[in-house]
Amino acid sequence: MSEPLHCYRHPKRETRVTCATCGRPICTDCMVQTEVGIKCPEDARLPRRARAGVMKPSQLAKSLLAGVVVLLVGLAVVNFMAGIHFASLFLSFIAGSLAGTFVNRAGGRNGGTAALLIAGGAVLLAYLPYLIPPLLAGNPPLFLILSAAIATISAAAASNR
């Protein structure tokens, strides 16, 4: 059983309830029941479209951490895909979409420019070690360049849903 949390507005009150949007712990006095779950008073006041693209510092930090994970996992995935040419185009779309969705969910599903840049940037950075040497040697790897473009665009699109 996990340790009880404490309400962010009433630090002496224990709770097991968190806001469906921002994840902050809230007590029964603070929680607001909405159509999409229990929320803190701040998030319950705003319609979803007003919050889209606006990240709290904790959500931005989680998105950045997710971007680092995407970069590290992406290095291994790109290494695997670098040798399979045509199939890498399809796999790049899937991997990019998964990476963008991961960053989006880590950031509280708010999307926006920050999530788009984090997801797209992490995916593109994962491709660079495999793209730069052949480009400098004058031998551009066309399938890899196309794979990088597909993965980056699909990651950016998935992170902004």
Side-chain angles (χ1 to χ4, degrees), residues 79-142:
N79 186 42
F80 168 74
M81 289 191 316
I84 56 176
H85 298 293
F86 187 73
S88 69
L89 301 179
F90 179 69
L91 292 175
S92 295
F93 175 76
I94 293 172
S97 295
L98 290 173
T101 301
F102 179 65
V103 170
N104 186 336
R105 289 185 179 175
R109 295 188 167 129
N110 282 347
T113 305
L116 185 144
L117 291 173
I118 292 168
V123 169
L124 184 59
L125 286 173
Y127 274 91
L128 287 182
Y130 302 95
L131 288 172
I132 291 175
L135 287 172
L136 292 176
N139 187 18
L142 296 179

Side-chain angles (χ1 to χ4, degrees), residues 7 13 16 18 30 34 36 53-54 67 76 78 85 87 98-99 106 115 123 144 147-148:
C7 177
R13 294 186 190 172
R16 293 192 186 273
T18 58
C30 295
T34 69
V36 292
V54 178
V78 174
H85 298 293
L98 290 173
V123 169
L144 202 54
S147 293

Side-chain angles (χ1 to χ4, degrees), residues 15-41 43-44 51:
T15 184
R16 293 192 186 273
V17 179
T18 58
C19 174
T21 300
C22 67
R24 290 187 288 191
I26 47 178
C27 67
T28 54
D29 290 339
C30 295
M31 69 183 197
V32 178
Q33 185 67 42
T34 69
E35 307 100 35
V36 292
I38 296 170
K39 296 190 177 193
C40 66
D43 287 332
R51 286 189 321 274

